[in-house]
């Protein structure tokens, strides 16, 4: 495990030792992990048997809806606190309905165009700046890019930099091809356009900003119809950290043979060392992982490649949703984590991968009783 440079400063923080002692007095493993736990040099181990398998990271969380009002920012942060989620990416949403639309979900309004926009990134950045909550570590994400018009991306990144210097550390979820949106005028980004992304991809690479991409693998009729899209992206930009959302699955493709799917994913991870995979969205659990035969195949894959996987809920914070909805999404998307070995659990659920990707000054605690707790 490589530690970020800032880690050397830890012993100088005056509150680390008292917090560590408090943790011990509260019973070591029994103490509820906090952000401070993840800054300790020698944190108490994480007891999976007692705490369950809910991750401390939600790397895929939309604070803004497709349309209509959003839940208040601090209310969503409160959901995270109440759930034990300590780290999250603050996504807007990659596409919005028109402001005068009465819909909150694009599938309820077929024929209405949904388009990428800067609105949500501004709204999130302002809400984050004004938020009083500081017990959850939040990373702001740029969700505005219109990948079919790549010439617009770098100027808008500069605009966000000017208005919110140093605040955005992630880009996505952006849409390369999302079949669910085809009824709302979205089309797959033309393959030939991907090479035109070079200016903003260079900027992301130089600043260490991951790009999280929704790129459907295919559909029931043609399971790998869009494999060329994610392949082209990875081939053009092998030095960027690119996170492939939902393992390429979607509602249009939940009956893919697990063995074939895992073979595709493995090939990608082997050929592109910087590629990462996101296992967010309850559709994966509800329609794929919940099948015990498929689950065994995916669990073996996740354990074998655990340094390349990120967890998330894909919760969308429209105003009609509640804490119970967030808990339900979190619980569903966590179910597969039960089948991880302790090393994989530490990498994926306890944040080790997330901290490494973002060079964050945090360290995942070891799992209690794991034989491989060494850093
Ligand atoms: Zn999403």
């Amino acid at each position: 495990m490589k530690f970020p440079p800032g880690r050397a400063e830890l012993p100088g923080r005056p509150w680390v030792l008292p917090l560590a002692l408090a943790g011990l007095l509260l019973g070591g493993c029994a103490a509820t992990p906090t952000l401070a736990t993840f800054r300790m040099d020698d944190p108490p181990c994480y007891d999976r048997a007692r705490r369950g398998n809910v991750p401390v990271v939600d790397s895929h969380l939309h604070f803004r809806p497709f349309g209509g009002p959003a839940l208040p920012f601090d209310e969503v942060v409160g959901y995270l606190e109440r759930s034990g989620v300590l780290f999250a990416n603050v996504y807007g949403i990659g596409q919005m309905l028109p402001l005068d639309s009465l819909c909150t979900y694009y599938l309820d309004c077929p024929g209405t165009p949904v388009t990428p926009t800067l609105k949500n990134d501004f709204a999130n950045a302002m809400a984050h700046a004004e938020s009083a909550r500081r017990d959850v570590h939040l990373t702001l994400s740029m969700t505005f890019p219109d990948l079919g018009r790549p010439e617009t991306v770098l100027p808008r990144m500069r605009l966000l930099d000017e208005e919110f210097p140093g605040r955005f550390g992630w880009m996505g979820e952006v849409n390369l091809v999302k079949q669910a949106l085809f009824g709302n005028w979205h089309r797959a980004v033309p393959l030939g356009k991907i090479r035109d992304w070079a200016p903003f991809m260079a900027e992301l690479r130089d600043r260490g900003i991951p790009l999280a991409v929704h790129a459907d693998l295919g559909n029931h009729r043609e399971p790998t119809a869009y494999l060329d899209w994610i392949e082209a992206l990875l081939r053009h930009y092998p030095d960027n950290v690119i996170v492939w959302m939902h393992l390429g699955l979607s509602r249009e493709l939940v009956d893919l043979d697990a063995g074939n799917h895992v073979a595709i994913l493995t090939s990608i991870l082997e050929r592109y060392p910087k590629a990462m995979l996101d296992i967010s969205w309850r559709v994966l659990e509800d329609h794929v992982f919940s099948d015990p035969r498929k689950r065994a195949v995916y669990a073996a894959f996740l354990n074998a490649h655990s340094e390349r996987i990120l967890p998330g809920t894909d919760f969308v914070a429209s105003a009609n949703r509640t804490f119970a909805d967030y808990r339900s999404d979190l619980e569903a998307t966590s179910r597969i984590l039960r089948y991880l070995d302790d090393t994989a659990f530490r990498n994926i659920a306890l944040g080790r991968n997330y901290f490494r990707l973002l060079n964050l000054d945090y360290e995942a605690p070891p799992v209690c009783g794991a034989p491989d707790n060494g850093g």
Side-chain angles (χ1 to χ4, degrees):
M1 175 69 187
K2 278 184 294 177
F3 294 118
R7 194 175 162 74
E9 301 158 14
L10 272 179
R13 294 201 170 106
W15 38 265
V16 168
L17 190 58
L19 280 170
L21 289 173
L24 285 174
L25 288 173
L26 286 167
C29 278
T32 301
T34 64
L35 280 183
T37 313
F38 286 75
R39 300 195 102 142
M40 290 177 185
D41 270 344
D42 191 15
C45 63
Y46 192 91
D47 189 345
R48 289 176 77 181
R50 292 184 66 157
R51 302 214 162 278
N53 292 283
V54 171
V56 299
V57 177
D58 189 345
S59 75
H60 191 140
L61 174 55
H62 299 276
F63 277 65
R64 305 288 303 178
F66 302 98
L71 286 170
F73 188 90
D74 280 351
E75 184 170 332
V76 180
V77 180
Y79 294 176
L80 302 177
E81 289 176 344
R82 289 164 70 185
S83 306
V85 174
L86 298 169
F87 304 89
N89 283 341
V90 179
Y91 284 10
I93 197 96
Q95 61 284 319
M96 267 188 88
L97 290 154
L99 287 178
D100 57 2
S101 169
L102 297 177
C103 283
T104 56
Y105 193 41
Y106 58 92
L107 288 179
D108 297 331
C109 279
T112 304
V114 292
T115 46
T117 170
L118 269 166
K119 295 183 191 76
N120 290 313
D121 297 341
F122 270 88
N124 278 337
M126 282 305 295
H128 181 248
E130 290 164 358
S131 173
R133 318 286 290 237
R134 289 291 177 265
D135 297 331
V136 177
H137 184 282
L138 299 172
T139 298
L140 285 174
S141 184
M142 296 171 270
T143 40
F144 71 83
D146 183 342
L147 298 177
R149 296 194 303 144
E151 69 282 0
T152 62
V153 177
L154 201 49
R156 289 176 189 192
M157 282 177 76
R158 301 252 185 269
L159 175 64
L160 287 178
D161 284 343
E162 204 177 298
E163 298 287 347
F164 305 99
R167 293 296 180 105
F168 284 87
W170 194 276
M171 180 175 277
E173 174 182 22
V174 290
N175 294 319
L176 183 56
V177 47
K178 181 168 176 172
Q179 296 162 97
L181 289 173
F182 283 1
N184 300 81
W185 299 21
H186 166 79
R187 287 292 171 265
V189 173
L191 273 175
K193 282 270 180 196
I194 292 176
R195 76 169 75 89
D196 300 338
W197 299 9
F200 78 82
M201 291 300 277
E203 176 86 4
L204 294 177
R205 182 197 61 215
D206 294 347
R207 289 167 59 178
I209 298 178
L211 177 72
V213 180
H214 185 116
D216 287 347
L217 178 57
N219 51 57
H220 306 307
R221 272 179 293 114
E222 209 181 334
T224 56
Y226 297 105
L227 177 58
D228 285 351
W229 271 254
I230 188 69
E231 287 275 6
L233 173 58
L234 294 167
R235 195 169 57 244
H236 271 94
Y237 304 104
D239 298 325
N240 280 76
V241 173
I242 293 171
V243 188
W244 191 15
M245 309 271 88
H246 321 306
L247 307 175
L249 296 175
S250 61
R251 281 207 177 86
E252 293 76 21
L253 181 64
V254 289
D255 54 0
L256 179 62
D257 176 80
N260 289 345
H261 186 208
V262 159
I264 291 169
L265 299 173
T266 303
S267 165
I268 280 181
L269 292 182
E270 284 174 353
R271 285 179 292 130
Y272 302 106
K274 285 189 173 284
M276 299 286 291
L277 300 172
D278 147 303
I279 52 170
S280 73
W281 199 18
R282 66 174 303 148
V283 166
L284 272 62
E285 171 61 30
D286 294 344
H287 298 281
V288 183
F289 299 155
S290 53
D291 176 336
R293 280 166 308 173
K294 289 188 177 183
R295 182 198 302 136
V297 176
Y298 286 102
F301 169 77
L302 297 177
N303 281 321
H305 300 280
S306 68
E307 292 188 346
R308 315 288 294 277
I309 310 292
L310 293 170
T313 57
D314 206 7
F315 179 78
V316 178
S318 50
N320 58 350
R321 305 200 75 200
T322 64
F323 177 59
D325 295 316
Y326 181 75
R327 281 303 297 220
S328 175
D329 283 357
L330 183 64
E331 192 275 325
T333 50
S334 301
R335 242 172 269 157
I336 187 70
L337 306 179
R338 230 180 101 195
Y339 301 91
L340 299 181
D341 63 38
D342 288 339
T343 300
F345 190 81
R346 191 181 185 193
N347 286 336
I348 299 169
L350 296 184
R352 220 177 186 198
N353 294 342
Y354 184 75
F355 306 151
R356 185 188 71 236
L357 266 195
L358 287 175
N359 206 20
L360 296 183
D361 191 11
Y362 292 95
E363 173 62 13
V367 173
C368 299
D372 54 350
N373 279 342

